[in-house]
Every structure is written in C-alpha cells, then in structure tokens.
C-alpha cells in the first residue's frame, strides 16, 4: 500500500454566516469572519489517495492524472469564486474549512475509486497556520 | 545603514473591476479576477525600513514597534475586509496588488519617518507565486 | 470526524543535560546541545484536535478559541523562557523535543476535552529538519 | 510511544522508462518524464521512526544518529547520481517516487530496528506539490 | 515605478563539465556535480520586471501575461530537459546556475521590453539553499 | 556582474541587555527579550556575494567553497552558543539581529575579497517574520 498526494491551490471569497441565526449570533460566533462584504483566502488543498503500486508503471496512478481530476472536479468550480453564492456542490452549506473539506471529499471519492485507488485524506489550509483534515468517516 | 523587515498577514476580498470600462472590457482585461461575486486572498505584507542602528539599544527601531504600527495603520483596516467597498485609504482605487502596495506606502511613510527611520520597501504577495514591490518613487 | 490543526510559535532557551550523569556522559550523549551556557530555538508547535462538526456553526471548535487556549496554557509559559529553569510544567524534566511534546499534551488534554473535542496530536519542530509527534499513548 | 522525523535532501537524475514497453507506450504512460536525455529533481526525504522515550536521555534515539544513518545508507548512494544507472539498491527497478520510497524503506528498516526503534514512514517529495508516503505494508 | 515578480518551476538534468578541461580538472573543480551520468534539480525561477502602473488597469502588466511569456520562452524549453544536450539557447554553454540565469535574461529581455516594461532581475534557485541573481550588466 | 547567495542555519541563545542601563530600563526597552535566563532562536543566515563569472567554470566562486567559509568563520563559532557569553567576534556587543549581521559582515568581508569576489549583503532571520539586512555601509 502506497499513499500519494497532490497539492493544488485556489483563491476564493466566503463569509461565515448562518441564515438560521440572528445577526448578533452570527457576529458572536463568527466574529469578523461574518463580514457581510466578504473576505477571502488562498486555499491550499492536499488530496491523498492510497492503493497498490502497478508493477508495470511504478505508479499508483500518475500524479498528472490526479492533478487533472482535482482541477476538473474542484479547482475549476471554486477558483476565484464565492463559496456562499457560486459553488454548486456546497449549495446551502456554511463554507467553513471543515465543511469545504468534507464536500470536496464527496466530489472526489467516486472518481478516485473508478481509477483503481482509494481516497485517503482531504487536507485544506485556510491560512498558513490553520488547516483541517478529513478521512471520510 | 541597516535594513529591517517585518512580515504581517491579512485576508481580504477584492474584485479587479474598473467602473470606467464596460463589462466586456473588464472581463477581457481582468478575466476571472473581475468576478462580480468577489474572490479573495491571504495577502503577505513585508515592510522594510532603513536607518542607523542606535548604539544604546542595538536596534534601528524595535521590531515589535514596527509590527504594532503596521497592525494599527494597515492590518486592522484591511483584514477580513473588502478592498473595493470597505478600505478607506483605497477609496475609488482599483485594488490591484500594485495599487495596494503603493497606498500602503502612503499610509506608513510619515509614521516611520516620525520614528527616526525611513520607509524603504513595501513588498506584497497576492499569491504564493505573484508579488509586487514598491520603493516610493 | 474532522481533524483541525493550529500552528503556533515560540522562542526558548534550553540545554540537554541530565544531573544524574557525569559531565563526560552528558557531553558524550548530548554533544554541543549540552553547552552549559545554553542555546535556543524557534519552536513551531502544531496542535491537532478531532471531533464532530457542529452543524449549526460548521466548526469543530473555532480555531480562534483553539489558538487562545494554546497561547494561555503553553505559549505564555514558554515563550522567551528557559526550559530548564523557568517552565513550571516541565520542572525536573530533561527538555528534549520528545519530552516537551509529551508535557504539552498533558497541559492541553483536559481543556480540549472540556470544549467537546479530543486532543489528537502534538507536533513540535525544534529545527526546520527535526520534529517529533506525540499521540498520547 | 513517540514519533521522530528527520528531513534530508538529495539531487538526482532519473527517467521513467520501462524496458518491457515500446517507446510509444513509454511516451504514452510517462510523457516528458520518459525523456531519454534524463531530467532530475531536488528530492526531499522525511524518515519517521517510533518507539519509547529513553528516560535517561529524553530521546527516542538522537536525531543526529538518525541523520548519520540516513546519510550513510541512502544520501551518499543517491545524491548527484542517476537512479536508473547508478543506484545499486534500485537496480532493475523503475525509479518512480513510489518505488524509490519503498526501496529506501528496505535499506533503512533493519538498521533502525537494531537501534531499538521502529521505522514508521518514508515520505518523499519529488516536487514541491507531489509526494508519496510508505508505511511498510 | 513598481516591481512585479512571477515565480515558475521546472525540473531538469545537467552536468557541470567543461570539454576544454581534463577529466581530473573537471572532477577537481566540479566534484560530484561533474558526474557523467547526470544529476538534476527542481529549479525555481523568479522573474522581476519594472515600469509604470497603467492607471486604467492598476497593472504594470498582467501577471498572467508574464507567466505565459516565461512559460513559452523558457519553461517549455527546459522543463524535463537536459541542459547540456537539449536546450537550444544554452548550446555550448556550461550550465551552471550563473550561466542559466544570464541566458534566461537574454531570452526574456526583448519580449518584456515590447510589452512596455523593463526586465529587472532573474533569480534562480538551484537548491533550497543556493541561488543566483542577475540584473543584466 | 552576478550575485550568488548561500543560506546557512544556526541555533543560539542570547539576551537583549545593556549593562549601561538599569534593570528597569532594560525591561522597558527590550521586554521579555531581556529575560536574565536567556532565550534563543533558529537563526537563518543568507550571505550574498557578487563579481564576474569565471568563463572557464561558469562560477563566480563555487557555492561549496562559500558554504565552507561561512561554516568555518561563522557557524562553527555561533552554533549552539550563547551570543552574550561565548562569541569572540561579538565580545561586548549587544547581540541584536542588527549587530549580529554587522559583525558577521566584518568577519567575512576580507575572506570573500581574497577569493576574488565582493561581499554584497548579510541577511539574518531571527524569527520567521523578522529579518535584517546589512550592505556594509
């Protein structure tokens, strides 16, 4: 069993805000992250998959293929976008780093499986010093 | 003459968009950076000042003082803010990295001078691979 | 289950030295790290906690809260301090990176639990190329 | 149980190419990585070992010892070398990052064990955004 | 006057070897860098240009344009290539980091000028701890 | 004219304290950096030299030679040392980052000149976000 990881980047706007809470509650829970005029981040995304090395190629799967999939399924849909308004796969979901990681997992899991590998971890940096990891359960 | 640098971080939303241009022109010049729903960045700001070392303290000026000034004059006004809508010192200015660096210079130059040092360079990373530098002229 | 991590920094002095060993043994085991005049490091500390995402906030716990706890319980007690002489929670303990990580775990475990999460890992960089990880058992 | 990690670097040339495949197949699978004139990388290697902390020294094993072993058993044999032509411990093996990690494991496992610790993970960066991890099974 | 920088990466093989020197002299001057079986690097290239900010766009020139030029004129010709055998613009030149930086300058200077900016600096990392800078004279 | 830079690391203890000031003044000026029990840093040192490229070697001077000189003249004298008590070339000098950079310049300038190059800049990181630069005048 080998684990391989590809790192990708994207920039996006978001706002931490729950429509089910009052403005006061939103401000109390989310602080300046609830700014109605948005703020944004350079997100850094690490996708780790695992499986057997193919003896013919020495690869689990080609990292270029993994990069292409992440770009098509995730980066093209979130880069330079607004997570609250424009990202179809997170519609109605509060775009915390935790939730973004879990919904990226859902988008990638099946495609990775079809390639003969298993999605192992989604790691998402929101800032240089804050990151989340999701292992699917 | 010694040069000292302090690095600070902030997260903000912006949109590259000129109200004097048509929507087509904005899209052509700025591409996905003109997204009307905003996007954002983790900006990394390096402020370099120069001057003589004080023989009594071994400092040009204390880097904690420099950090405090940058936070009060810049970070508190831009962190988790929208550059197009909320940053007073850039009102009416297109928030490209180039312009942000030049307007940060204007905000800091006088205060640094009052402390007995000279502002030398504002360096601003918009993404990990793109940055601008401004030396005041 | 989600894992979230906050990175913090501190600077400290230490000396690798066991009072139960002779000077020759200390020098043989610890080399220049046993220098009686001390040396020091910029330590980089990663605290990872795990638990369920709160559906109302999208958070496990707010990373600002996690940062505040790490600062109050650890950073304020070790930053710009001498590990051998001044750090209460490591009194009588040889301040190797391994031991520092294990004693930081002890300081944080209960507080994290009280917040409804579980401490997962303490990762401590002593230099850019040397780090230790402790998972509590 | 504590985990300690030492990072080392080396530069090497390689070519992804299987002699059992035709030139067309090699090009199709490996793309520009199959260039017959070679290309190369600054590899970054993280070796993680685990075990009990020695109460007398505060160490699992001294990280200087770990560094010395990695240099003698691995770095001296691969640095500024050609993986396809000159690395004895990978003779006849396609030098993908996956395979390099697995063969480095084989070279180190026994020596680490003899020191009273257990090899836990070989992590190898081939580029800044691509890395593999191997845990021995 | 503003300075903007774009960072790009490429991987290549090379060998430090002068055909005008004997094998002994090559080995004495270049050490293991003269290995006849090649070695390689992940090069990191920073291209800095300078000029006036266009008041209409807030840009010196769009960093995407700068990235495109660097890729077309340099990266496509050197990535996954052998500097001694395959890079047309360095034919007959010893591929030290110094020479690579100076020949990249020659390749880019005119194109940057045609865009209304001035090439300011080529900075090239050969390893994490070794880099060269060339300012054109 | 080419500029080449070598980065080296060292760990040391220090204390910002002037014997000509009272304890109250020391605390007021230097804060927790004046801790009588010391604190320390992982310093990162960048030495930049400039000169003509030797057409025979493609080098200004071999970066291995530059590294060797920095290690012999600086690193061996400061690594795992106490700047206030043990570093001969800074005897009686307050070990601020500014002063350390200026005294490292003095130690290296002549040797670099003897090699046929000119010392251009000493850049010293005291922490990840604080650094100083000295150009010799």
């Amino acid at each position: 069993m080998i684990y391989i990881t590809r790192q990708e980047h994207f920039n996006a706007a978001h706002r931490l805000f729950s429509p089910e809470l009052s403005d006061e509650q939103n401000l109390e829970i989310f602080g300046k992250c609830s700014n109605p005029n948005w703020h944004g981040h350079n997100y850094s995304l690490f996708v780790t998959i695992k499986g057997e090395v193919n003896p013919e190629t020495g690869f689990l799967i080609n990292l270029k293929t993994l990069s292409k999939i992440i770009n098509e399924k995730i980066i093209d849909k979130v880069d330079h976008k607004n997570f609250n308004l424009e990202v179809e796969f997170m519609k109605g979901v509060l775009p915390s780093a935790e939730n973004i990681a879990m919904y990226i997992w859902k988008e990638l899991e099946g495609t990775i499986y079809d390639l003969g590998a298993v999605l192992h971890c989604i790691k998402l940096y929101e800032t240089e010093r804050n990151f989340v990891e999701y292992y699917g359960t």
Side-chain angles (χ1 to χ4, degrees), chain A:
Chain A
M1 180 83 76
I2 197 95
Y3 296 73
I4 68 171
T5 300
R6 172 70 190 171
Q7 181 188 10
E8 302 286 346
H9 293 280
F10 60 92
N11 311 314
H14 80 154
R15 177 195 181 190
L16 297 184
F17 170 83
S18 168
E20 293 166 19
L21 301 172
S22 70
D23 282 3
E24 288 72 24
Q25 288 174 309
N26 271 296
L27 188 62
E28 192 193 322
I29 295 173
F30 300 116
K32 58 186 176 182
C33 297
S34 68
N35 178 1
N37 289 317
W38 319 99
H39 66 283
H41 296 289
N42 301 340
Y43 290 90
S44 188
L45 171 66
F46 294 75
V47 176
T48 302
I49 68 175
K50 62 185 173 186
E52 301 287 333
V53 172
N54 177 334
E56 206 170 68
T57 63
F59 288 159
L60 169 47
I61 67 169
N62 193 326
L63 275 158
K64 280 192 208 312
T65 309
L66 181 54
S67 174
K68 192 159 162 278
I69 288 166
I70 302 169
N71 274 280
E72 285 173 5
K73 306 277 289 186
I74 307 295
I75 306 299
D76 292 352
K77 294 174 182 170
V78 299
D79 189 36
H80 286 78
K81 290 290 183 350
N82 184 310
F83 264 115
N84 302 64
L85 304 179
E86 297 178 299
V87 176
E88 195 63 30
F89 70 76
M90 291 203 56
K91 211 171 183 172
V93 179
L94 203 152
S96 65
E98 288 88 334
N99 280 338
I100 298 174
M102 293 193 296
Y103 279 82
I104 287 175
W105 177 283
K106 286 187 191 174
E107 293 300 298
L108 290 177
E109 192 178 17
T111 310
I112 301 299
Y113 187 80
D114 293 346
L115 286 165
V118 174
L119 184 55
H120 175 67
C121 182
I122 298 295
K123 183 178 183 178
L124 184 71
Y125 276 78
E126 194 172 84
T127 69
E128 205 184 20
R129 297 191 177 179
N130 292 340
F131 63 85
V132 305
E133 290 161 293
Y134 183 60
Y135 295 87
T137 55

